[in-house]
Amino acid sequence: MPIPPIPALNAALFLDLDGTLIEIAPRPDAVVVPPFLPGLLARLADRLGGAVAIVTGRGLEVARDLTQSPPIAFAAEHGTIVDASLLPGAVIPPMPPPPTPPQAWREQAAAYAAAHGLLFEPKKYGFVLHFRAVPERGPAAAAFLQAMAAGTAFQVMPAHAAAELRPHGLDKGSAVRWLMRHAPFAGRQPIFIGDDVTDQFGIDACAELGGTGYRIPTDFPGPSAVHGWLEGLAGRLAA
């Protein structure tokens, strides 16, 4: 498989986390982060003037903890939360806060997960039902959330062996567009790398803004190839 070419020096990187920078695990809390990844992200941020962002379905604090909080921007919960507080010198305002699902919904979803062998993952502005251990129950889990969200300000999005309830109108593409309005991202060529159906929103946004996007396994066979590509970019920037 030919690896995409190393981009121009004015790139802005938007990187998914699970399945792109770290391997998918049977449970979200069982992932193994490569020990070199935090340093690689910090080097890329330094050499790209800070124009690096993790765009992930994970919660903000979880994403920071997994990557050891490098000086980059984070777009968490599929773009629902955008935070650049770790990015030195950047003044990127947070997006307007979205609605929060009722506590009763969280309790109902948690009870449903417990009764059907699923994993319930709470987030600030939504929650997820993971069915990797019982894939045959995936369609019913998605239908359960669809019925809950019908006619409300929330939507249900599919992911890797999971269904997620989150606010309407916010996705990884909206996060990319927001960050690209502000320094240090503004004026650069946006590049998105992801692996899941939710990453297509980010890829499409980059294309609209004059950039491009890549998917695993179409453009990269897996996270290790992405690591090598990013190392090549870091080396080129250093030279």
Side-chain angles (χ1 to χ4, degrees):
M1 173 186 295
I3 299 298
I6 299 297
L9 303 184
N10 69 333
L13 296 181
F14 298 93
L15 307 170
D16 174 48
L17 194 53
D18 292 272
T20 301
L21 294 180
I22 57 178
E23 296 283 357
I24 296 289
R27 293 172 53 96
D29 56 359
V31 295
V32 177
V33 179
F36 59 80
L37 183 60
L40 174 58
L41 292 172
R43 282 189 287 123
L44 286 166
D46 178 64
R47 295 168 188 177
L48 286 171
V52 178
I54 294 292
V55 187
T56 177
R58 296 273 192 167
L60 177 60
E61 295 306 320
V62 174
R64 283 178 173 173
D65 288 345
L66 287 172
T67 57
Q68 299 180 25
S69 299
I72 62 175
F74 287 84
E77 297 192 22
H78 297 285
T80 305
I81 302 170
V82 174
D83 182 272
S85 60
L86 300 179
L87 194 55
V91 183
I92 301 177
M95 294 193 302
T100 302
Q103 180 61 26
W105 288 13
R106 297 181 184 274
E107 294 171 359
Q108 293 166 20
Y112 181 91
H116 294 85
L118 311 178
L119 175 65
F120 173 75
E121 180 188 2
K123 296 184 179 181
K124 184 174 182 179
Y125 295 109
F127 46 81
V128 189
L129 294 179
H130 294 271
F131 46 83
R132 185 174 299 278
V134 283
E136 69 279 5
R137 295 180 182 173
F144 170 80
L145 293 184
Q146 291 283 6
M148 182 178 286
T152 72
F154 295 85
Q155 61 183 330
V156 178
M157 289 293 295
H160 280 303
E164 178 165 352
L165 183 142
R166 57 192 179 88
H168 267 298
L170 295 172
D171 52 45
K172 293 187 177 185
S174 61
V176 167
R177 294 183 187 94
W178 185 265
L179 287 169
M180 286 295 294
R181 291 171 56 184
H182 306 282
F185 297 90
R188 288 179 170 268
Q189 181 188 33
I191 298 174
F192 196 104
I193 307 179
D195 73 307
D196 201 358
V197 60
T198 59
D199 294 313
Q200 191 61 47
F201 295 106
I203 291 172
D204 291 344
C206 286
E208 293 168 11
L209 295 169
T212 189
Y214 302 115
R215 285 278 293 269
I216 293 172
T218 306
D219 303 295
F220 295 97
S224 61
V226 176
H227 300 153
W229 189 87
L230 293 173
E231 288 282 7
L233 173 58
R236 178 179 177 183
L237 291 166

